[in-house]
Amino acid sequence: MTKIAVLGYGTVGSGVVEVLTQNAKLINNKAKEEIEVKYVLDLRDFPGDPIQEKIVHDFDVILKDPEVRVVVEVMGGLHPAYEFTKAALEEGKSVCTSNKELVAEHGPELISIAHANNVNYLFEASCGGGIPIIRPLNSSLTADDVDEITGILNGTTNYILTEMTQKGLKYEDVLKDAQEKGYAERNPEADVEGHDACRKLAILSSLAYARTADYKGIYTEGITKITPEDIEYAKALDMQIKLLATSRKVVVDGVKHCYALVAPFLISQNTPLYSVNGVYNAILVHGNMLGYAMFYGAGAGSLPTASAVVSDVVDEVRHLGRTLVFNWNPAMLDLASIEDDKRRFFVRIKESQLDKARELFGEIGTISVGSLPDEVGFITDEISEKDFNANVEKLGGVISRIRIKEDAV
Ligand code: HSE
């Protein structure tokens, strides 16, 4: 029998206990070992809940118990998750987590501490909720030079954009409704400003390109400025607006660079990401041999996320005393400025700016939507971010602009 401890009995922690309880028999068969939750660490008590007898309030009880071989860190946040994880690894306990903040900030260091202590640090649930994506990047796509990752990596914002698109609602109204239904946090900033997707992109890019991507260097724009009018134009273009997290590796003179950004993009029906709606996530990965593969599924939620966490518990129980190879090199990935990255843009301007826009952007065709008679939309040719921004300044500003992601497949 292998005993484990769960740090945090919130949405994911309670899901982990439920998955381990409901699927106990098959999980034990797959792990070739009986797995038992010995402790659950939480500040709160849960009187009346069968978990209460396992609740402890002092992490040291877990740390000093040699019977505990695996620690599940699902507390979220950097502190004290970082200190607890480090201490557990140094004490010879494997750790698995859904904590993308911690993995994005300290991933290579914690992997290295784990390996120095002959244990493992796994984080399948840190990206894409229940979707297997860390293991495929680390263990399956080993024959490929992966050169692009583009994903819908945040369930909350995808839910908001889907509701805005399907119901014609305003961002603020959908956010309020999502908060009431528990789909969005009371403080939604990390999700709606793109920070959550940014951290997940940094983790995936680090594994894909075998260099550490610093999330702080990734250009990030959220969805808070998207309006029902933008969505009206998207519909007229047969496109959808999605918050994409995308990175692309380019090699110049043998040196790896990476363009990475998180921002709302217009995508056409020809890309499979077009149909990813609600809280679902999807990640498109391009490899030089594979071409494209898409990983799609439940990107958030208690049980889907817990399913990924428990898959790590099983892996760690199967590999007690042995370390799993991880292709995460602590050397830093060179994140290139997106200023030089080229793409097409969709732009909304006042009708009176059209002549000047044609001078700057060339012979552009225009798109109008019935409800907005005083303005026009147009799509630029491929242009660098730098040149695009310079043109916008010369135009005296635009009503809005949204990047276009070309068809992936
Ligand atoms: N807030 C995250 C999301 C939870 O909405 O995707 C899963 O990481």
Side-chain angles (χ1 to χ4, degrees):
M1 176 176 303
T2 300
K3 309 237 172 161
I4 72 168
V6 179
L7 312 186
Y9 197 60
T11 307
V12 184
S14 56
V16 166
V17 172
E18 189 173 340
V19 169
L20 284 166
T21 309
Q22 257 198 53
N23 285 353
K25 202 163 165 215
L26 71 91
I27 289 170
N28 293 342
N29 280 339
K30 288 180 187 179
K32 306 262 179 289
E33 181 74 38
E34 206 176 315
I35 298 171
E36 187 191 292
V37 177
K38 184 165 182 183
Y39 303 111
V40 174
L41 179 80
D42 205 285
L43 291 172
R44 299 162 295 177
D45 281 306
F46 298 87
D49 186 319
I51 206 67
Q52 181 59 38
E53 65 190 60
K54 300 184 176 187
I55 291 282
V56 291
H57 303 300
D58 179 2
F59 175 64
D60 270 358
V61 174
I62 294 165
L63 191 64
K64 298 296 170 216
D65 186 338
E67 268 197 340
V68 175
R69 305 292 304 276
V70 172
V71 172
V72 176
E73 185 274 298
V74 282
M75 314 170 72
L78 284 181
H79 303 287
Y82 170 69
E83 290 75 14
F84 287 179
T85 299
K86 202 170 159 192
L89 295 171
E90 285 170 347
E91 198 64 34
K93 301 177 194 301
S94 283
V95 177
C96 58
T97 189
S98 58
N99 188 338
K100 56 254 170 174
E101 276 173 278
L102 186 58
V103 177
E105 187 77 44
H106 294 291
E109 180 198 349
L110 293 170
I111 292 169
S112 148
I113 295 173
H115 291 182
N117 289 281
N118 216 23
V119 290
N120 290 293
Y121 181 58
L122 302 181
F123 41 89
E124 182 58 70
S126 64
C127 301
I131 306 170
I133 182 62
I134 302 292
R135 210 165 270 111
L137 279 176
N138 189 53
S139 314
S140 309
L141 297 172
T142 47
D144 266 76
D145 184 7
V146 175
D147 53 18
E148 184 188 338
I149 291 178
T150 298
I152 293 172
L153 292 176
N154 184 268
T156 305
T157 46
N158 205 44
Y159 172 82
I160 293 172
L161 290 173
T162 302
E163 288 285 292
M164 287 176 73
T165 301
Q166 293 178 352
K167 300 185 179 156
L169 299 171
K170 278 190 192 154
Y171 164 78
E172 295 79 12
D173 295 339
V174 180
L175 174 63
K176 196 161 162 271
D177 181 52
Q179 283 171 319
E180 277 161 14
K181 288 183 174 145
Y183 296 160
E185 305 275 348
R186 289 279 126 219
N187 178 359
E189 191 185 335
D191 292 317
V192 299
E193 297 295 356
H195 306 312
D196 175 80
C198 167
R199 287 182 172 90
K200 292 167 177 168
L201 180 65
I203 296 169
L204 297 179
S205 302
S206 299
L207 289 173
Y209 313 137
R211 286 269 189 288
T212 299
D214 179 3
Y215 71 91
K216 296 180 220 67
I218 295 178
Y219 176 88
T220 300
E221 222 178 270
I223 64 161
T224 54
K225 295 196 183 92
I226 300 294
T227 63
E229 291 75 27
D230 293 327
I231 286 174
E232 226 181 304
Y233 275 104
K235 285 182 182 164
L237 290 162
D238 271 340
M239 294 172 116
Q240 290 240 35
I241 301 172
K242 295 285 182 193
L243 183 72
L244 297 186
T246 179
S247 71
R248 194 160 46 83
K249 183 178 76 177
V250 285
V251 181
V252 182
D253 298 332
V255 181
K256 279 185 210 175
H257 303 276
C258 175
Y259 286 118
L261 81 157
V262 175
F265 277 84
L266 276 159
I267 58 173
S268 83
Q269 296 195 26
N270 295 332
T271 171
L273 293 171
Y274 183 92
S275 312
V276 178
N277 287 320
V279 293
Y280 280 84
N281 281 193
I283 304 115
L284 267 173
V285 179
H286 185 265
N288 66 339
M289 298 293 136
L290 167 79
Y292 280 102
M294 185 161 99
F295 300 82
Y296 168 81
S302 175
L303 293 178
T305 309
S307 156
V309 174
V310 174
S311 78
D312 281 346
V313 173
V314 170
D315 226 3
E316 291 183 336
V317 169
R318 281 175 174 173
H319 293 89
L320 288 174
R322 277 184 297 150
T323 53
L324 291 151
V325 175
F326 244 91
N327 292 317
W328 189 331
N329 184 336
M332 297 310 287
L333 182 68
D334 182 2
L335 286 170
S337 159
I338 64 160
E339 291 282 277
D340 299 320
D341 203 5
K342 289 187 176 173
R343 55 176 51 85
R344 295 188 301 152
F345 289 80
F346 165 72
V347 191
R348 283 170 60 196
I349 54 171
K350 292 188 210 109
E351 186 113 46
S352 56
Q353 293 175 295
L354 190 53
D355 289 344
K356 183 80 177 163
R358 287 200 160 120
E359 254 175 55
L360 292 163
F361 288 100
E363 266 320 298
I364 45 175
T366 59
I367 314 138
S368 299
V369 294
S371 65
L372 301 165
D374 301 329
E375 61 169 83
V376 288
F378 67 92
I379 290 178
T380 68
D381 286 337
E382 209 174 74
I383 182 170
S384 71
E385 293 260 346
K386 187 170 50 195
D387 292 345
F388 176 79
N389 290 336
N391 282 356
V392 168
E393 206 168 318
K394 285 179 201 154
L395 257 181
V398 296
I399 298 170
S400 73
R401 60 98 180 92
I402 303 174
R403 296 172 178 85
I404 295 179
K405 176 84 180 111
E406 302 305 332
D407 301 341
V409 283

